[in-house]
Coordinates of all heavy atoms in Angstrom, one line a residue:
S165 N 51.7 46.6 -121.4 CA 51.2 47.0 -122.7 C 51.8 48.3 -123.1 O 52.0 48.6 -124.3 CB 49.7 47.0 -122.7 OG 49.2 48.0 -121.8
V166 N 52.1 49.2 -122.2 CA 52.7 50.5 -122.5 C 54.1 50.3 -123.1 O 54.5 51.0 -124.0 CB 52.7 51.4 -121.3 CG1 53.5 52.7 -121.5 CG2 51.3 51.8 -120.9
Y167 N 54.9 49.4 -122.5 CA 56.3 49.3 -122.8 C 56.5 48.1 -123.8 O 57.7 47.9 -124.1 CB 57.1 49.1 -121.6 CG 57.2 50.3 -120.7 CD1 56.4 50.4 -119.5 CD2 57.9 51.4 -121.1 CE1 56.4 51.5 -118.8 CE2 57.9 52.6 -120.3 CZ 57.2 52.6 -119.2 OH 57.2 53.7 -118.4
A168 N 55.5 47.5 -124.3 CA 55.7 46.4 -125.2 C 56.1 46.9 -126.6 O 55.6 47.9 -127.0 CB 54.4 45.6 -125.3
I169 N 57.0 46.1 -127.2 CA 57.4 46.4 -128.6 C 56.9 45.3 -129.4 O 57.1 44.1 -129.1 CB 58.9 46.6 -128.6 CG1 59.4 47.7 -127.8 CG2 59.4 46.7 -130.1 CD1 60.9 47.9 -127.7
E170 N 56.2 45.6 -130.5 CA 55.7 44.6 -131.4 C 56.9 43.8 -131.9 O 58.0 44.3 -132.2 CB 54.9 45.2 -132.5 CG 53.6 45.8 -132.1 CD 52.9 46.4 -133.3 OE1 52.7 45.6 -134.3 OE2 52.5 47.5 -133.3
T171 N 56.6 42.5 -132.2 CA 57.6 41.7 -132.8 C 57.1 41.1 -134.1 O 55.9 40.9 -134.2 CB 58.1 40.5 -131.8 OG1 56.9 39.7 -131.5 CG2 58.7 41.1 -130.6
T172 N 58.0 40.7 -134.9 CA 57.7 40.0 -136.2 C 58.3 38.6 -136.1 O 59.4 38.5 -135.6 CB 58.3 40.8 -137.4 OG1 57.7 42.1 -137.4 CG2 58.0 40.1 -138.7
Q173 N 57.5 37.6 -136.5 CA 58.0 36.3 -136.5 C 58.9 36.0 -137.7 O 58.5 36.3 -138.8 CB 56.9 35.3 -136.5 CG 56.0 35.4 -135.2 CD 56.7 34.9 -134.0 OE1 57.5 34.0 -134.0 NE2 56.5 35.7 -132.9
I174 N 60.2 35.5 -137.4 CA 61.1 35.2 -138.5 C 61.5 33.7 -138.3 O 61.5 33.2 -137.2 CB 62.3 36.1 -138.6 CG1 63.1 36.0 -137.3 CG2 62.0 37.5 -138.8 CD1 64.5 36.6 -137.4
Q175 N 61.9 33.1 -139.4 CA 62.3 31.7 -139.4 C 63.8 31.7 -139.0 O 64.6 32.4 -139.6 CB 62.1 31.1 -140.7 CG 62.2 29.6 -140.7 CD 61.8 28.9 -142.0 OE1 61.8 29.5 -143.0 NE2 61.4 27.7 -141.9
V176 N 64.1 30.9 -138.0 CA 65.5 30.7 -137.5 C 65.8 29.2 -137.4 O 65.0 28.4 -137.3 CB 65.7 31.4 -136.2 CG1 65.5 32.9 -136.2 CG2 64.7 30.8 -135.1
K177 N 67.2 29.0 -137.5 CA 67.6 27.6 -137.4 C 68.2 27.4 -136.0 O 69.1 28.2 -135.6 CB 68.7 27.3 -138.4 CG 69.1 25.8 -138.5 CD 69.9 25.5 -139.7 CE 70.2 24.0 -139.8 NZ 71.0 23.7 -140.9
S178 N 67.9 26.3 -135.3 CA 68.4 26.1 -134.0 C 69.8 25.5 -134.0 O 70.1 24.6 -134.9 CB 67.4 25.1 -133.3 OG 68.0 24.6 -132.1
N179 N 70.6 26.0 -133.1 CA 72.0 25.4 -133.0 C 72.0 24.1 -132.3 O 72.9 23.3 -132.5 CB 72.9 26.4 -132.2 CG 73.2 27.6 -133.0 OD1 73.2 27.6 -134.2 ND2 73.6 28.6 -132.2
F180 N 70.9 23.8 -131.6 CA 70.9 22.6 -130.8 C 70.3 21.4 -131.6 O 70.8 20.3 -131.6 CB 70.1 22.8 -129.5 CG 70.7 23.9 -128.6 CD1 70.1 25.1 -128.5 CD2 71.9 23.7 -128.0 CE1 70.7 26.1 -127.7 CE2 72.5 24.6 -127.2 CZ 71.9 25.9 -127.1
T181 N 69.2 21.7 -132.2 CA 68.4 20.6 -132.9 C 68.7 20.5 -134.4 O 68.3 19.6 -135.1 CB 66.9 20.7 -132.7 OG1 66.5 21.9 -133.3 CG2 66.6 20.7 -131.2
N182 N 69.3 21.6 -135.0 CA 69.5 21.7 -136.4 C 68.2 21.9 -137.2 O 68.2 21.8 -138.4 CB 70.4 20.6 -137.0 CG 71.7 21.1 -137.3 OD1 72.1 22.3 -137.3 ND2 72.6 20.2 -137.8
G183 N 67.1 22.0 -136.4 CA 65.8 22.2 -137.1 C 65.4 23.7 -137.2 O 66.1 24.5 -136.6
W184 N 64.4 23.9 -138.0 CA 64.0 25.3 -138.2 C 62.8 25.6 -137.4 O 61.9 24.7 -137.1 CB 63.6 25.5 -139.7 CG 64.9 25.6 -140.5 CD1 65.5 24.5 -141.1 CD2 65.6 26.7 -140.9 NE1 66.6 24.9 -141.8 CE2 66.7 26.3 -141.7 CE3 65.5 28.1 -140.6 CZ2 67.6 27.2 -142.2 CZ3 66.4 28.9 -141.1 CH2 67.5 28.5 -141.9
G185 N 62.6 26.8 -136.9 CA 61.5 27.2 -136.1 C 61.3 28.7 -136.3 O 61.9 29.4 -137.1
Y186 N 60.4 29.3 -135.5 CA 60.1 30.7 -135.6 C 60.4 31.4 -134.3 O 60.3 30.8 -133.2 CB 58.6 30.9 -135.9 CG 58.3 30.6 -137.4 CD1 57.9 29.3 -137.7 CD2 58.5 31.5 -138.4 CE1 57.7 28.9 -139.0 CE2 58.2 31.2 -139.7 CZ 57.8 29.9 -140.0 OH 57.6 29.6 -141.3
Q187 N 60.9 32.7 -134.4 CA 61.2 33.4 -133.2 C 60.7 34.9 -133.4 O 60.9 35.4 -134.5 CB 62.7 33.4 -132.9 CG 63.1 34.2 -131.7 CD 64.6 34.0 -131.5 OE1 65.3 33.1 -132.0 NE2 65.2 34.9 -130.7
G188 N 60.3 35.5 -132.3 CA 59.9 36.9 -132.4 C 61.1 37.8 -132.5 O 62.1 37.6 -131.7

């Protein structure tokens, strides 16, 4: 928890499935 950096979820496209998803 001391070294954790907050992340924001963004929408990304997968190279493998060609589908969209979210990544921190």
